[in-house]
């Protein structure tokens, strides 16, 4: 069982999407991390889990849950994850 970083409910990991933070690139003023979906669960590094649902994504963003869950500080870019959960593709 894993906890969704959006709605905080627990669910089997098969129902949740794994996400990872990639980057650490700086835009001059802040460090930017991209949160990427990892549907095949193959990415190295620390992951977090979220329902593949725009509602959960919005909750996670509002609570800045990604930075906490992924242990990164800086700007979190969820653009690609947002596209993924808005228009899911078959893994
Ligand atoms: Zn959720």
């Amino acid at each position: 069982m894993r906890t969704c970083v959006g709605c905080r409910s627990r669910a089997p990991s098969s129902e949740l999407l794994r996400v990872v933070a990639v980057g650490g690139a700086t835009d001059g003023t802040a460090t930017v991390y991209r949160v990427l979906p990892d549907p095949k669960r193959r990415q190295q590094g620390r992951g977090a889990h979220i329902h593949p649902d725009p509602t959960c994504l919005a909750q996670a963003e509002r609570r800045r849950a990604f930075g906490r869950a992924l242990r990164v500080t800086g700007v979190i870019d969820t653009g690609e994850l947002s596209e993924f959960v808005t228009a899911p593709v078959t893994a």
Side-chain angles (χ1 to χ4, degrees):
M1 300 286 277
R2 299 286 184 175
T3 302
C4 171
V5 296
C7 64
R8 307 284 300 174
S9 68
R10 289 171 68 77
S13 54
S14 60
E15 291 182 11
L16 297 173
L17 174 66
R18 184 173 190 263
V19 300
V20 294
V22 174
T26 178
D27 66 1
T29 54
T31 305
V32 180
Y33 290 90
R34 292 182 301 143
V35 177
L36 303 181
D38 180 23
K40 296 185 193 301
R41 302 165 189 278
R42 295 215 179 115
Q43 297 284 339
Q44 299 291 316
R46 189 174 182 83
H49 291 78
I50 187 169
H51 286 109
D53 184 315
T55 305
C56 290
L57 175 59
Q59 287 184 35
E61 288 185 309
R62 196 179 322 130
R63 295 188 5 257
R64 302 176 186 276
F66 287 116
R68 252 195 327 271
L70 297 167
R71 303 274 169 88
V72 294
T73 54
V75 176
I76 307 289
D77 175 1
T78 56
E80 288 168 69
L81 177 60
S82 178
E83 283 180 24
F84 186 89
V85 300
T86 306
V89 291
T90 306

